[in-house]
Amino acid sequence: MKKVLLAGAVALFGLSNAQIAKGTTYLSGQVGYSQKEDNNTDVKKEKINVLPTVGYFVDTNLAVGLGVGYRNENEKTTKTTGSNPLFVTEGKETTSAFVVAPFVRKYWTLADKLYIFGQLEVPMAFGQNKVEGTTTTTTTTGAGTTVTQTSGSTKNNFTSIGVNIKPGLDYFLNKNWTIEATIGEFGYNTYKKDIDGAKRVNDYNFGLNLTSVTFGVKYVFSK
């Protein structure tokens, strides 16, 4: 009976001897693109995110690494008010940033090819936020139609620094390729514009969120 219970515990909790050796290197990364258009509010959003990552196992099942990449977000709005005069306001907000994300990742073996991990990362973004606006005014009178246009823009640099912990699963398809998934995150982020008098904006995020599951593919240079 004891042997049966022990075998069940091994199967349930994945007490396997499989480990990722010290000196192993891997490459992974994130590439994302999304576009959203709301015809009811005339708002268009576009996001691009590229973050290649390299990791190195400094000890068995313990890796350190670095992600370096770029992200860009655009939001365009159009608003029409009045009739005569008619005002058409068009706005565009662009946020672009260079991203650096050092991390430490610890693996625990569940089965021969399946691992659970926890990743501590410190993402840092250094970028620029630009807001542009143009208002076109059309006025019709007995003498004809007059169209005038005014525009303006503001531009500010910003810095964002965070500390996040991400839990996840990693499955080895073979000795070189793996599929990994993260579920939610626990973390903190602070954002500040580089202008006089600007205050920091702090954001806290805690919880396992099934709507924020991310998947990735990793290439391992096996020893």
Side-chain angles (χ1 to χ4, degrees):
M1 184 62 180
K2 291 182 178 179
K3 293 182 178 179
V4 174
L5 291 177
L6 180 59
V10 171
L12 179 62
F13 295 104
L15 301 180
S16 170
N17 291 324
Q19 295 179 326
I20 304 175
K22 176 181 178 180
T24 301
T25 303
Y26 70 83
L27 293 176
S28 64
Q30 301 174 6
V31 178
Y33 174 81
S34 64
Q35 187 178 46
K36 182 179 179 180
E37 183 173 350
D38 190 335
N39 293 323
N40 294 320
T41 58
D42 289 325
V43 176
K44 299 179 181 179
K45 297 181 179 181
E46 184 181 53
K47 295 182 180 181
I48 300 174
N49 180 56
V50 180
L51 187 68
T53 302
V54 60
Y56 177 80
F57 282 81
V58 295
D59 203 350
T60 302
N61 284 1
L62 178 64
V64 298
L66 180 68
V68 178
Y70 171 81
R71 75 165 184 253
N72 182 274
E73 300 180 11
N74 290 304
E75 180 175 323
K76 298 179 181 179
T77 59
T78 302
K79 184 178 181 180
T80 302
T81 57
S83 56
N84 190 24
L86 175 68
F87 300 94
V88 178
T89 302
E90 297 177 298
K92 180 180 180 181
E93 182 174 1
T94 304
T95 301
S96 57
F98 172 69
V99 181
V100 180
F103 66 87
V104 178
R105 179 182 287 196
K106 173 64 177 177
Y107 281 84
W108 292 273
T109 306
L110 292 179
D112 185 43
K113 296 182 179 181
L114 181 63
Y115 299 82
I116 186 172
F117 65 81
Q119 177 169 300
L120 171 65
E121 66 178 11
V122 183
M124 295 172 282
F126 309 92
Q128 185 181 88
N129 176 264
K130 185 177 182 180
V131 179
E132 303 169 273
T134 300
T135 300
T136 302
T137 305
T138 303
T139 304
T140 301
T141 64
T145 300
T146 303
V147 178
T148 59
Q149 191 175 78
T150 59
S151 61
S153 66
T154 60
K155 184 164 54 176
N156 297 294
N157 295 328
F158 68 87
T159 302
S160 174
I161 301 176
V163 179
N164 298 322
I165 297 177
K166 295 183 178 181
L169 292 170
D170 203 345
Y171 180 75
F172 278 68
L173 300 173
N174 51 48
K175 68 177 183 178
N176 296 117
W177 291 99
T178 84
I179 297 177
E180 65 179 40
T182 60
I183 305 173
E185 66 181 30
F186 303 81
Y188 161 82
N189 187 79
T190 179
Y191 171 96
K192 184 180 180 181
K193 292 183 178 180
D194 298 337
I195 57 176
D196 293 337
K199 295 183 178 180
R200 290 189 177 276
V201 178
N202 299 320
D203 181 35
Y204 298 86
N205 189 16
F206 296 95
L208 297 175
N209 189 349
L210 293 178
T211 63
S212 63
V213 176
T214 62
F215 294 92
V217 178
K218 183 163 73 273
Y219 183 83
V220 180
F221 297 90
S222 60
K223 296 186 69 178

